[in-house]
Amino acid sequence: MDQPQSPGTPDQPESGPSGSPAPKSHPSRKTVLRAALAAGVALPTALVGVPALARTARGGDVPPQLTPSCDDGDDPTPAQTEGPYFKPNSPRRTSLLDGNPPGTRLTVTGYVFGLACRPIANALLDFWQADVNGAYDNTGFRFRGHQFTDAQGAFTLTTIVPGLYPGRTRHIHVKVQAPNRPVLTTQLYFPNEPRNNTDSIFDARLLMTMRDNGPTRQGSYDFVLNVPQGPGPTDPPTTPPPSGTWKAGTAYKAGDKVTYGGRSYTCLQAHTASAGWEPPNVPALWRAV
């Protein structure tokens, strides 16, 4: 039985089905926002509700690409076969580690987006997988469980690296469903697995971004569901901002007065103005007069 990869350097970005490197994209607002969220930085209100996601860079590394990247008009995450081992009514939980099962510990994190690249709260994710020996529990619910995304569309799964069994590469099954929308059934894969080249079901678009963390492994994947969403903020804005004396980047102190969109405002708290913190949007900072 093949064993999980030994700890070492982080896996390289996934390759396409033919083994060629996957297309690279330039850093996006989403990449910047996800890094800010991971660092605990407060975001301007214009960016709230826009995906601020998945894993940030490690040290000086470039942030890993999304799989798939989520931008307006992007294709949804591809579906895959359910297989013969799905069971309904799994317990609700974020950890599949009943007791202390053998195997390399694995944490999978990510987000669920709609077609406009905005996070989906309260989306259902139902995971199931093989144990370290490549066997599924078909009588109970070992390595089976469901959970829901939080208000920011995020999820975390704690489990083990699944074992191998004849005919398949290493994988994790999942069903993802936005509230009152159809179910996406698919699978997640591990980079640099030899059997990725021989598994007829394998799809490189479903590769997780992986890294080693001592004796454990960490993976990330962001799902894009076929859920229409209203347009979010664009970059650059499609319409010019209202006229006035308020300007982003200006340091304001309590008592300062500005105009914006034909109205006058008084500053309530000292701050440096930022796009998204226009006076009408932040009553904690500005009072209309």
Side-chain angles (χ1 to χ4, degrees):
M1 182 67 65
D2 294 345
Q3 297 298 318
Q5 295 172 308
S6 59
T9 58
D11 292 333
Q12 297 299 314
E14 59 267 23
S15 58
S18 63
S20 60
K24 295 183 181 297
S25 60
H26 296 291
S28 65
R29 170 172 45 197
K30 179 182 58 284
T31 301
V32 175
L33 289 174
R34 63 168 56 194
L37 184 67
V41 177
L43 300 176
T45 54
L47 302 182
V48 175
V50 180
L53 284 313
R55 306 299 50 112
T56 181
R58 286 130 16 215
D61 293 352
V62 175
Q65 295 184 15
L66 294 179
T67 47
S69 62
C70 176
D71 292 302
D72 293 351
D74 220 36
D75 293 332
T77 299
Q80 288 219 311
T81 178
E82 177 182 282
Y85 301 120
F86 173 71
K87 288 182 61 177
N89 303 317
S90 68
R92 180 175 179 176
R93 54 187 178 182
T94 60
S95 174
L96 306 186
L97 301 178
D98 290 328
N100 187 29
T104 300
R105 296 299 187 259
L106 169 68
T107 300
V108 180
T109 56
Y111 295 80
V112 177
F113 296 118
L115 293 178
C117 200
R118 307 182 79 166
I120 299 177
N122 205 38
L124 169 69
L125 299 104
D126 196 343
F127 295 96
W128 70 103
Q129 66 171 79
D131 64 17
V132 70
N133 297 313
Y136 288 86
D137 179 9
N138 296 317
T139 58
F141 290 95
R142 284 185 302 111
F143 297 110
R144 301 175 184 269
H146 74 271
Q147 60 178 280
F148 296 88
T149 56
D150 65 15
Q152 294 178 316
F155 70 90
T156 299
L157 174 71
T158 304
T159 183
I160 65 167
V161 175
L164 293 164
Y165 57 91
R168 292 302 316 277
T169 190
R170 218 177 295 275
H171 62 280
I172 296 174
H173 293 271
V174 58
K175 289 180 179 287
V176 190
Q177 183 180 24
N180 303 311
R181 301 293 299 183
V183 177
L184 167 70
T185 301
T186 192
Q187 303 179 33
L188 298 179
Y189 294 100
F190 295 77
N192 302 328
E193 287 286 334
R195 292 194 187 181
N196 288 350
N197 297 323
T198 59
D199 188 329
S200 61
I201 301 176
F202 170 77
D203 189 329
R205 294 172 294 176
L206 297 168
L207 281 164
M208 292 182 284
T209 299
M210 298 295 301
R211 62 167 290 195
D212 294 321
N213 183 19
T216 68
R217 304 211 74 197
Q218 295 179 348
S220 65
Y221 191 90
D222 296 331
F223 296 94
V224 180
L225 299 184
N226 190 12
V227 174
Q229 296 174 310
T234 56
D235 188 13
T238 55
T239 57
S243 61
T245 61
W246 180 92
K247 293 188 182 301
T250 303
Y252 291 106
K253 61 183 183 298
D256 285 350
K257 299 185 184 302
V258 299
T259 58
Y260 184 87
R263 299 196 65 180
S264 298
Y265 295 86
T266 299
C267 180
L268 302 177
Q269 299 184 47
H271 68 284
T272 298
S274 175
W277 291 357
E278 293 83 359
N281 296 336
V282 279
L285 299 179
W286 296 98
R287 182 181 68 241
V289 293

